[in-house]
Amino acid sequence: MRIVGLTGGIASGKSTVSNLFKAHGVPVVDADIVARNVLKKGTGGWKKVVAAFGEDILLENGEVDRAKLGQIVFSDPGRRQLLNRLLAPFISRGILMEVLKLWIKGCSIIVLDVPLLFEAKMDKWTKPIVVVWVDPKTQLQRLMIRDGSMEEDAKSRINAQMSLDLKRSQADIVIDNTGSLEALHEQFQKVLTQITRPLTWTEFMLSRKGAFLALFSIFIGVAICKRSP
């Protein structure tokens, strides 16, 4: 099995690339969706977060007001780190379960779409790592337009994340999304060709087919040994 890491930064276009993978039939495990699920009312993640941040972050129906929680953590690095520590075990477990489901289905190539891939140390699970990069000026402009936010607020959200330049330095594949959507699609086609190349022997043995082959080989070996005098 080949697990491809996909990451980027806010307003970098990572979600667009993630959707392109889905459109081309490559299964994607989206960490944002997993994170939303672990914050649902009554879950372990919900209980930890409410205990740490108080009931003021809840909506009338008891669900977490994600926008309000976001405002709190983006303006306070300490509370942001606390939130990440609280949710990291639940998110990691949720991602692992989604990967396991796809492995059982026989998927040989999976994309992990994780905004905090490096920060959460999930990069060690993935190879290759794809980073969607834009220059700082373009990132700021796109975020302000997308969210209708003021420059100071947009800069605060960008600075709350690991810099895209640092992520780019740790990537195996970089998609430069500074240009047009057409240019992004062209780059994506090249990346798609790279990640869908035939599996290495090690990757194959980690796939469901590889596991079945290993079990079959063991069974044959045991059968031969039993017949030997």
Side-chain angles (χ1 to χ4, degrees):
M1 172 184 278
R2 176 176 298 143
I3 302 179
V4 179
L6 174 64
T7 192
I10 190 169
S12 68
K14 175 187 64 64
S15 295
T16 301
V17 174
S18 182
N19 288 332
L20 286 172
F21 277 120
K22 294 174 188 175
H24 285 77
V26 180
V28 175
V29 175
D30 190 331
D32 283 340
I33 294 176
V34 174
R36 284 197 288 272
N37 289 335
V38 303
L39 262 183
K40 285 184 177 179
K41 182 180 177 180
T43 61
W46 180 89
K47 293 175 182 177
K48 291 280 189 181
V49 170
V50 173
F53 290 85
E55 294 186 1
D56 289 342
I57 64 168
L58 298 179
L59 297 167
E60 290 184 3
N61 62 4
E63 295 289 353
V64 171
D65 185 337
R66 296 176 61 84
K68 187 172 185 178
L69 181 60
Q71 290 175 349
I72 293 171
V73 300
F74 273 119
S75 61
D76 187 332
R79 305 202 83 181
R80 184 169 63 250
Q81 291 175 7
L82 172 61
L83 180 65
N84 289 338
R85 285 199 305 272
L86 291 174
L87 292 182
F90 297 100
I91 294 174
S92 297
R93 193 177 307 128
I95 289 174
L96 183 60
M97 289 303 298
E98 293 301 314
V99 170
L100 181 60
K101 290 176 186 177
L102 292 171
W103 183 88
I104 292 172
K105 288 181 180 179
C107 298
S108 58
I109 299 174
I110 297 171
V111 171
L112 286 192
D113 177 353
V114 186
L116 302 180
L117 185 76
F118 295 110
E119 297 92 324
K121 310 299 182 185
M122 291 185 187
D123 53 306
K124 60 187 177 183
W125 297 1
T126 63
K127 189 71 176 180
I129 295 170
V130 180
V131 169
V132 184
W133 179 90
V134 291
D135 66 76
K137 182 179 179 180
T138 301
Q139 184 182 22
L140 179 62
Q141 289 175 341
R142 289 179 179 174
L143 180 58
M144 291 172 64
I145 293 170
R146 189 192 75 181
D147 293 353
S149 56
M150 301 298 290
E151 183 174 344
E152 184 177 345
D153 290 337
K155 283 183 176 179
S156 177
R157 296 192 70 185
I158 291 172
N159 292 335
Q161 299 183 336
M162 180 178 175
S163 77
L164 279 174
D165 284 341
L166 182 54
K167 289 185 178 183
R168 179 176 63 173
S169 70
Q170 298 181 43
D172 299 301
I173 301 171
V174 177
I175 297 178
D176 184 345
N177 191 28
T178 304
S180 65
L181 187 59
E182 290 74 19
L184 175 63
H185 278 251
E186 288 181 11
Q187 291 182 75
F188 174 78
Q189 290 299 327
K190 295 178 181 178
V191 172
L192 184 63
T193 299
Q194 285 181 267
I195 72 158
T196 55
R197 70 188 187 279
L199 300 183
T200 64
W201 179 248
T202 300
E203 290 172 331
F204 173 74
M205 292 307 295
L206 291 173
S207 70
R208 191 184 70 168
K209 289 181 180 179
F212 285 162
L213 176 62
L215 288 173
F216 179 73
S217 299
I218 293 172
F219 175 78
I220 294 298
V222 171
I224 292 174
C225 289
K226 284 185 176 180
R227 291 186 178 184
S228 298

